[in-house]
Amino acid sequence: MTKTVDLISPIDGSVYLTREVLTRDAAFDAAKRAKAAQAGWAALLLSERIALVRKAGEIIGQQKDRMATELAHQMGRPVRYGGEYGGFNERLTYMADVAKESLAPMQIEDSDAFRRLIKRTPWGTVLVIAPWNYPYMTAINTVAPALIAGNTVILKHAGQTLAVGDHLAEAFHAAGVPDDVFQNLVLDHDTTSALLSERAVDFVNFTGSVGGGRAIERAAAGTFIPVSTELGGKDPGYVRADANIDAAVDTLLDGAMFNSGQCCCGIERIYVHESLFDQFVEKAVAWVNAQKLGNPLDPDTTMGPMANVRFAKEVRAQIEEALADGAKAHIDTMPADDGGAYLTPQILTNVSHKMRVMRDESFGPVVGIMPVKDDEAAIALMNDSQFGLTASIWSADTATAEAIGDRIETGTVFLNRCDYLDPALCWTGCKDTGRGQGLSKLAYQALTRPKSYHLKKA
């Protein structure tokens, strides 16, 4: 019996598209073909691989209108934001630009007696398990440098954004990347785990939940396949007494609410110096009340539905539990809130770290705001988390902010901005956020292995 997966559109709960799930045998055959194709792909000149990846990016750039509309149908992001091509292209272009330098051999000696060097060698086949919340940008983070470095790639995209995997495969193949070098497969969890446990692939990059990351690590246990994970966060913002409060409100609230809060590095908790607290909350409430919740196909909509009813259910549960424990909600229910995927964005005060909404990842449009008396209190609260992806500090004092950043347990520290991936900086985390090296020159170190040459000349 053929197994299928239905993509349920959050706009109206209808089935947007259906795909057949690959059988176990077909999946292993695809992995075998990827492995067979890898040597020929790696044998191409680096400049040739870079050119093919750039061409694929250009083809995706010709689909921007379709991208925005299809993302609205698949995961609810309003069309007014125009899809993801800007960030997609920025990341692909940077990784292509730095590839030659990043993959260059490290020369130790070249004398009359010896030639000693370290080369970067591709792992082989890279399995990319991509999430639905930023489906183009998160996928390209690994797909582009993996291919450029000489690996073949198998992409398993999220069931909520199946069309994205289709379009990426179409673009890379149209650009001239061989079919077996880049494959987009619809896989179930059991087959995915089997590909790892039986070492049918050589490297896995997973972006998703903590539970999913643990399942990936268990599947790969004992195989020595490198596992790279990015498992979300509970990212804090800290507004110091000397901050530009208007800029802090505009940026932090956008960081908390954009994409209906469905951002790995979205702002989920805010700590404000007590001297600015009341003013900050007042401005934050005004900012959220100015948003329009509604159908993402409407160009006036600024906030669409969450991608799935079950995601909204978890956010509602966290809010209700917090209110029962004494939190205060500041946003009245919006007309489009249907009790399902369409969820009113919410600001909570009178919150504490005893509440799940300040501890567990919400991944939705809710943020708790707490007053703090000084830097020490803010640092303690920011570090009081199982996650460690990013933290955002707001201050006019760059040196002090950097010193605070040195003490915060995260992979990235922002000053006077948030919720952004700079492709020149390593995207990484700590604690339950997982570990890995995405983007930047370091991504090429992760996606290749060092190979040493100790050559004695005759």
Side-chain angles (χ1 to χ4, degrees):
M1 181 177 178
T2 301
K3 185 177 181 180
T4 60
V5 57
D6 292 333
L7 192 168
I8 306 300
S9 173
I11 292 178
D12 56 10
S14 64
V15 176
Y16 181 66
L17 60 80
T18 299
R19 290 286 183 272
E20 288 189 7
V21 177
L22 218 58
T23 65
R24 187 185 190 281
D25 287 346
F28 272 81
D29 180 66
K32 184 177 180 180
R33 287 185 279 109
K35 189 157 289 192
Q38 192 270 323
W41 175 249
L44 293 178
L45 294 175
L46 174 60
S47 60
E48 293 178 296
R49 297 197 300 271
I50 291 172
L52 291 171
V53 169
R54 287 190 192 273
K55 180 62 176 178
E58 292 171 5
I59 293 170
I60 290 293
Q62 297 164 9
Q63 306 170 4
K64 288 184 284 187
D65 290 341
R66 179 178 75 175
M67 177 189 290
T69 301
E70 289 188 349
L71 289 178
H73 281 288
Q74 291 177 92
M75 46 77 68
R77 186 183 304 137
V79 293
R80 67 181 292 137
Y81 300 119
E84 298 182 8
Y85 184 68
F88 173 94
N89 186 56
E90 180 183 31
R91 298 173 191 191
L92 183 154
T93 298
Y94 182 81
M95 297 310 297
D97 287 347
V98 301
K100 183 177 180 180
E101 178 184 355
S102 303
L103 293 168
M106 182 186 300
Q107 183 93 344
I108 307 301
E109 178 185 359
D110 191 9
S111 67
D112 291 341
F114 289 99
R115 174 166 159 78
R116 295 183 296 140
L117 69 159
I118 302 170
K119 294 184 180 181
R120 305 302 309 187
T121 299
W123 285 106
T125 299
V126 171
L127 172 62
V128 179
I129 305 175
W132 52 264
N133 62 321
Y134 284 91
Y136 282 94
M137 291 195 289
T138 52
I140 205 63
N141 288 352
T142 305
V143 169
L147 288 171
I148 288 171
N151 299 284
T152 52
V153 170
I154 291 174
L155 173 64
K156 176 196 179 301
H157 223 305
Q160 195 68 45
T161 44
L162 292 170
V164 175
D166 294 343
H167 295 328
L168 288 172
E170 291 166 2
F172 277 94
H173 297 157
V177 175
D179 290 357
D180 291 341
V181 169
F182 180 81
Q183 299 181 64
N184 172 56
L185 307 182
V186 180
L187 305 171
D188 61 21
H189 295 317
D190 288 344
T191 298
T192 303
S193 294
L195 289 172
L196 294 171
S197 62
E198 299 184 33
R199 202 163 181 164
V201 296
D202 304 294
F203 183 102
V204 60
N205 173 267
F206 173 80
T207 305
S209 68
V210 174
R214 287 176 176 146
I216 293 296
E217 288 197 343
R218 282 195 296 269
T223 66
F224 307 113
I225 292 173
V227 176
S228 175
T229 52
E230 196 263 88
L231 309 176
K234 191 73 182 174
D235 291 9
Y238 170 37
V239 182
R240 299 185 76 233
D242 65 343
N244 180 327
I245 191 168
D246 290 327
V249 169
D250 286 344
T251 308
L252 288 174
L253 268 294
D254 182 69
M257 302 299 173
F258 186 78
N259 209 38
S260 297
Q262 298 166 133
C263 305
C264 297
C265 59
I267 296 295
E268 297 211 358
R269 50 198 174 107
I270 301 175
Y271 308 101
V272 182
H273 189 271
E274 56 192 10
S275 66
L276 298 179
F277 181 76
D278 290 342
Q279 186 182 5
F280 185 94
V281 172
E282 180 182 358
K283 289 176 178 288
V285 170
W287 191 99
V288 173
N289 277 327
Q291 303 307 302
K292 181 182 178 182
L293 176 68
N295 189 317
L297 298 174
D298 181 346
D300 292 331
T301 293
T302 63
M303 186 175 295
M306 295 192 68
N308 194 289
V309 172
R310 73 177 186 275
F311 305 152
K313 183 177 180 180
E314 167 63 13
V315 178
R316 286 192 173 90
Q318 290 188 20
I319 293 171
E320 290 167 4
E321 291 169 22
L323 295 177
D325 288 338
K328 179 181 178 181
H330 290 262
I331 309 299
D332 294 333
T333 301
M334 293 182 173
D337 190 325
D338 63 352
Y342 291 84
L343 171 65
T344 298
Q346 191 56 264
I347 290 174
L348 300 175
T349 57
N350 295 343
V351 290
S352 75
H353 280 215
K354 294 181 180 179
M355 301 173 181
R356 284 205 308 130
V357 77
M358 296 298 285
R359 297 192 326 268
D360 293 354
E361 185 171 36
S362 302
F363 217 64
V366 58
V367 65
I369 308 177
M370 293 176 62
V372 292
K373 64 179 181 179
D374 56 26
D375 293 342
E376 293 300 318
I379 292 168
L381 287 168
M382 284 190 282
N383 286 338
D384 183 25
S385 175
Q386 71 189 79
F387 298 103
L389 187 54
T390 82
S392 175
I393 303 168
W394 288 79
S395 175
D397 187 338
T398 303
T400 298
E402 184 174 346
I404 292 170
D406 290 342
R407 298 172 59 191
I408 300 173
E409 297 161 352
T410 60
T412 295
V413 176
F414 293 108
L415 175 62
N416 299 328
R417 77 174 309 175
C418 65
D419 191 25
Y420 171 70
L421 274 70
D422 181 340
L425 297 177
C426 186
W427 190 244
T428 186
C430 59
K431 299 192 278 191
D432 280 3
T433 291
R435 63 179 183 179
Q437 295 177 174
L439 297 174
S440 80
K441 295 176 182 177
L442 297 184
Y444 284 110
Q445 293 188 25
L447 291 163
T448 57
R449 62 180 177 85
K451 185 174 183 179
S452 295
Y453 291 76
H454 194 132
L455 310 175
K456 184 178 181 180
K457 296 180 179 179

